[in-house]
Amino acid sequence: IGARRITISTVGLPEKIRELAAHGKAYNLAVSLHAPNDELRTQIVPVNKNVGIQAILEAADDYFDAIGRRVTYEY
């Protein structure tokens, strides 16, 4: 299966999203936001306490800029 047919889904760890982009493979990326704001997201996804939605969105933008493949936001 080619990389273009694979979608990698993540809860959103910015450093890992950038690490994936550094591999240079053309995977699609899906980011599970779980909530529209940091307060609710932190209740649902405790790791968000140290990350924040804005950092995730910035890393996803960096992924798109580096790879050129779509990023899907799941809610």
Side-chain angles (χ1 to χ4, degrees), residues 18-52:
R18 290 187 176 98
E19 186 178 319
L20 180 63
H23 286 291
K25 298 282 186 178
Y27 299 116
N28 295 311
L29 180 66
V31 179
S32 297
L33 294 178
H34 295 92
N37 59 55
D38 279 322
E39 182 180 344
L40 180 56
R41 188 170 197 273
T42 298
Q43 291 175 13
I44 299 168
V45 184
V47 72
N48 188 66
K49 180 180 180 182
N50 300 320
V51 178

Side-chain angles (χ1 to χ4, degrees), residues 4-27:
R4 294 177 149 251
R5 295 186 180 264
I6 296 172
T7 298
I8 296 177
S9 182
T10 178
V11 70
L13 300 174
E15 66 278 0
K16 295 299 181 181
I17 292 171
R18 290 187 176 98
E19 186 178 319
L20 180 63
H23 286 291
K25 298 282 186 178
Y27 299 116

Side-chain angles (χ1 to χ4, degrees), residues 3 14 16 22 30 59 64 70 73:
K16 295 299 181 181
F64 177 79
R70 74 174 159 215
Y73 297 98

